[in-house]
Amino acid sequence: MNHKWSEKTRAPNGDSRKVCTREGCEIVCVSRHRIEPNGRQDHYKEWFRGSARIQIGGNTPACEAVEVPVDA
């Protein structure tokens, strides 16, 4: 199952944040933008569930949404 992302919110420092809105997943993707002391721009992503950081960089972690049965 693919993530269903919210609209991005941007911080004044250039970072952005979006949340998977599927029930039970609610993973947060934070896109970081930094300028290193030598002037080089650095960009990377971090993923969180609640307040716990679960990954830095790499591929997006799987969506862990709860399947909700549809009444027939």
Side-chain angles (χ1 to χ4, degrees):
M1 181 178 301
N2 292 329
H3 292 284
K4 183 177 179 184
W5 296 112
S6 66
E7 291 292 320
K8 286 183 185 179
T9 57
R10 296 194 185 277
N13 67 357
D15 292 354
S16 63
R17 177 182 185 273
K18 60 185 178 180
V19 179
C20 179
T21 58
R22 293 194 189 278
E23 185 176 341
C25 182
E26 298 158 358
I27 194 170
V28 178
C29 175
V30 179
S31 182
R32 305 279 189 194
H33 300 271
R34 302 283 183 258
I35 298 178
E36 295 180 358
N38 64 2
R40 181 178 167 267
Q41 292 190 9
D42 189 23
H43 172 255
Y44 61 96
K45 293 183 180 181
E46 297 179 318
W47 287 271
F48 296 83
R49 278 212 170 84
S51 61
R53 182 171 56 197
I54 59 171
Q55 184 176 317
I56 300 173
N59 294 329
T60 304
C63 185
E64 295 183 7
V66 176
E67 288 192 34
V68 179
V70 177
D71 295 333

